[in-house]
Amino acid sequence: MAKRASTRDVDKTYGRTRLRAARAFLEQAEITQMSATDDYQRAAATSSAILAAFAAADAACALRLGQVWKGEHTQAHTLLRTIKGSEKAATALQRVVSRKTEIQYMAEAVSDAKLTAAIRQAETVMAFADEIQATG
């Protein structure tokens, strides 16, 4: 289990709100991907996919555990991994989050393949969050 100091307590309403945010970020990434013509637009879309994955992970954790991660972003997957059946989603979160700094702060060039991978990873975390919400 993640250290208590790296989490904060939340309620299910927060989880449902984060799930709506995750959907909005993912939709933005997908819309931008359709019209992206340069590295900067793909970087913006990738950033939205990363935010979608974070929000979906928050939603899953809030709905199942009543907690969300508040520590170092690269370790956010550790709380998600505490939920039974989360391995695929936690691995996807870990992978997409590993690109956050280079894409959002270091102006790394983003290929369409990298963007597509980020969207797929966000979709994996989103699917898990949707499953958590459906099973209550």
Side-chain angles (χ1 to χ4, degrees):
M1 181 74 131
K3 292 180 184 177
R4 183 78 176 129
S6 295
T7 64
R8 68 181 174 94
D9 294 334
V10 294
D11 61 16
K12 290 187 184 225
T13 299
Y14 180 84
R16 289 187 293 274
T17 298
R18 289 298 284 157
L19 192 55
R20 287 195 316 269
R23 284 191 185 99
F25 286 127
L26 186 56
E27 183 178 339
Q28 183 61 51
E30 292 167 341
I31 289 168
T32 303
Q33 182 183 35
M34 288 187 283
S35 62
T37 58
D38 65 32
D39 289 339
Y40 300 105
Q41 291 170 338
R42 286 188 293 273
T46 302
S47 184
S48 291
I50 293 166
L51 292 173
F54 271 130
D58 279 353
C61 291
L63 293 168
R64 183 56 49 90
L65 305 172
Q67 297 179 335
V68 292
W69 187 255
K70 70 172 188 175
E72 170 60 37
H73 69 268
T74 59
Q75 297 303 306
H77 64 94
T78 60
L79 183 62
L80 187 59
R81 284 187 198 283
T82 66
I83 301 173
K84 183 179 178 182
S86 68
E87 185 60 33
K88 186 177 176 184
T91 298
L93 178 64
Q94 184 176 13
R95 287 181 179 152
V96 75
V97 168
S98 72
R99 295 187 201 104
K100 182 181 184 300
T101 299
E102 64 195 35
I103 290 168
Q104 293 181 336
Y105 303 111
M106 300 175 77
E108 180 187 291
V110 177
S111 67
D112 193 52
K114 284 183 182 180
L115 170 55
T116 298
I119 288 173
R120 282 191 195 128
Q121 289 157 346
E123 288 170 340
T124 298
V125 183
M126 176 72 72
F128 183 69
D130 284 337
E131 182 181 314
I132 294 294
Q133 183 179 40
T135 60

